[in-house]
Amino acid sequence: SYVDSSSSDVKYSIMPITWLTPTNPSDEIVLSMAKKRFTASHMHDSTFFTLSVPVSGMESLVVRLGSCSGRSHDKSLDVSLTLPGFNVYRLVDDKSRKDPFVWKKKKWRSFYELHGSRLRAIDGCCAQLVCQLISKKSSLDDHHFLLSARIVDAYVKSDYWKDDKLFIPCSP
């Protein structure tokens, strides 16, 4: 699921997104979004948004969020929204490692609280990624945008983070 909450003219724009992929091993992703989507009209260069990764049992919520438009319905009424971050594990830059990013357990002091951002994530999800839009271009089929973005902050619940490097459910 996707939450864009940095647009000043919309309370929150929430939509499921099904196609995204990393473009490098550390912090860039590409997403495909239908041009007709209400959320697409609010995606501009430097827009901040969050990606919330749903878990098993949230399927009906994802379907419900995708079955109506934010043009006619405030989807934030259908979900519990929270500031990004779980106070569990946080992606931080560690210059001493060869790998530029490492997950560290750390006391949470939210960038979003400090800077007054309107960013929100969907509560109950196992991971939350805060992203900044780099570019928005028409795709080959002319019905979608290809969005490239940089992950600027990320969080994952400890039950989904194994051996400090694997993003998988750890509990049966």
Side-chain angles (χ1 to χ4, degrees):
S1 289
Y2 162 86
V3 180
D4 167 26
S5 56
S6 60
S7 184
S8 60
D9 56 337
V10 173
K11 191 169 188 176
Y12 295 103
S13 181
I14 302 170
M15 67 167 276
I17 193 154
T18 57
W19 189 88
L20 61 113
T21 188
T23 59
N24 68 31
S26 58
D27 66 352
E28 290 183 6
I29 57 173
V30 173
L31 306 92
S32 175
M33 185 180 296
K35 288 182 178 181
K36 66 181 183 179
R37 291 288 201 152
F38 177 67
T39 301
S41 65
H42 299 286
M43 298 297 289
H44 308 289
D45 287 350
S46 299
T47 297
F48 284 88
F49 61 94
T50 60
L51 293 171
S52 299
V53 180
V55 295
S56 179
M58 296 180 81
E59 295 86 357
S60 63
L61 174 64
V62 173
V63 169
R64 193 167 64 247
L65 292 173
S67 64
C68 63
S69 173
R71 283 185 186 91
S72 57
H73 176 67
D74 182 357
K75 295 182 191 184
S76 68
L77 301 174
D78 299 333
V79 296
S80 175
L81 297 177
T82 183
L83 286 169
F86 300 112
N87 198 16
V88 180
Y89 283 91
R90 180 172 182 194
L91 186 65
V92 294
D93 195 356
D94 182 357
K95 305 284 187 211
S96 66
R97 288 179 47 111
K98 197 173 197 178
D99 178 1
F101 293 97
V102 60
W103 292 89
K104 287 187 177 177
K105 192 163 180 116
K106 156 175 209 181
K107 186 170 170 40
W108 180 60
R109 182 158 184 216
S110 175
F111 165 86
Y112 319 100
E113 288 179 316
L114 294 174
H115 298 284
S117 175
R118 294 172 10 103
L119 284 173
R120 295 294 181 270
I122 297 174
D123 198 21
C125 290
C126 64
Q128 301 165 344
L129 293 87
V130 178
C131 306
Q132 183 175 21
L133 187 66
I134 297 169
S135 70
K136 174 177 149 181
K137 298 178 180 177
S138 287
S139 68
L140 296 175
D141 72 4
D142 205 38
H143 298 289
H144 290 80
F145 287 118
L146 285 180
L147 308 172
S148 65
R150 178 168 290 108
I151 300 169
V152 296
D153 212 353
Y155 304 87
V156 63
K157 289 186 176 179
S158 58
D159 289 351
Y160 292 84
W161 195 244
K162 183 178 179 182
D163 301 329
D164 288 333
K165 63 181 175 181
L166 299 174
F167 179 59
I168 59 172
C170 300
S171 304

